[in-house]
């Protein structure tokens, strides 16, 4: 094996956060894990095992986790997934993200709150209600480029 592989190894132990939520009647669970202060793993579980929705959210989780381990910053996913529109969408049971336009939008808002840099006054400026009308810190533009594989 070559030592020039840019992918970081997952640690044996890491700190995680699990958030249970319901988005427009669809129950889900988001687990994120960090090591040395860096987001290393995202696991979004929605729907019954074997369903299309479960398979797609598992694929999204795998893609994000692989990219994080290759060095992509969480802000890239926030910028790309925020404000995507598909069902389920609507009200959530998560008081930090009261409304989402899709599961990807919910994931982006949750990652933004937990794992991206924000101005310290951002939380004070947010008002309860529809997230789309809340002041949001500016999001970075896509700047990460994957390391070419040999």
């Amino acid at each position: 094996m070559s030592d020039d592989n840019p992918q970081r190894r997952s640690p044996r132990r890491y700190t995680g956060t699990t958030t249970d939520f319901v988005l427009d009647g669809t129950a889900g669970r988001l687990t994120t894990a960090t090591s040395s202060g860096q987001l290393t793993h995202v696991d979004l579980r929605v729907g019954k095992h074997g369903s299309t929705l479960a398979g797609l959210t598992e694929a999204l989780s795998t893609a994000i986790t692989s990219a994080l381990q290759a060095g992509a910053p969480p802000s890239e996913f926030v910028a790309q997934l925020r404000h995507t529109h598909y069902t389920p969408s609507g009200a959530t049971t998560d008081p930090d993200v009261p409304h989402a336009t899709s599961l990807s939008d919910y994931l982006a808002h949750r990652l933004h709150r937990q794992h991206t840099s924000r101005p310290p006054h951002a939380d004070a400026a947010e008002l309860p209600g529809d997230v789309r009308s809340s002041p949001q810190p500016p999001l970075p533009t896509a700047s990460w480029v994957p390391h070419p594989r040999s």
Side-chain angles (χ1 to χ4, degrees), residues 66-83:
S66 296
L68 289 169
Q69 292 174 356
S75 59
E76 292 298 320
F77 300 104
V78 170
Q80 297 300 319
L81 297 175
R82 202 172 205 185
H83 303 302

Side-chain angles (χ1 to χ4, degrees), residues 89-150:
S89 67
T92 78
T93 57
D94 186 341
D96 294 332
V97 184
H99 183 274
T101 58
S102 66
L103 287 166
S104 301
D105 182 55
Y106 176 82
L107 176 61
H109 283 287
R110 179 57 44 212
L111 291 178
H112 180 63
R113 291 189 66 79
Q114 292 177 332
H115 300 287
T116 62
S117 301
R118 306 182 292 180
H121 64 282
D123 284 334
E126 291 183 14
L127 302 172
D130 192 338
V131 172
R132 294 173 297 173
S133 63
S134 300
Q136 297 291 324
L139 295 173
T141 58
S143 60
W144 175 77
V145 177
H147 182 41
R149 295 192 185 257
S150 305

Side-chain angles (χ1 to χ4, degrees), residues 30-98:
L30 173 64
T31 302
T32 59
T34 60
S35 177
S36 303
Q38 298 293 321
L39 181 63
T40 59
H41 185 83
V42 172
D43 185 29
L44 179 62
R45 300 288 174 166
V46 179
K48 293 181 180 178
H49 181 72
S51 70
T52 301
L53 187 58
L56 290 172
T57 56
E58 185 176 344
L60 177 62
S61 298
T62 300
I64 292 173
T65 297
S66 296
L68 289 169
Q69 292 174 356
S75 59
E76 292 298 320
F77 300 104
V78 170
Q80 297 300 319
L81 297 175
R82 202 172 205 185
H83 303 302
T84 54
H85 294 266
Y86 58 87
T87 57
S89 67
T92 78
T93 57
D94 186 341
D96 294 332
V97 184

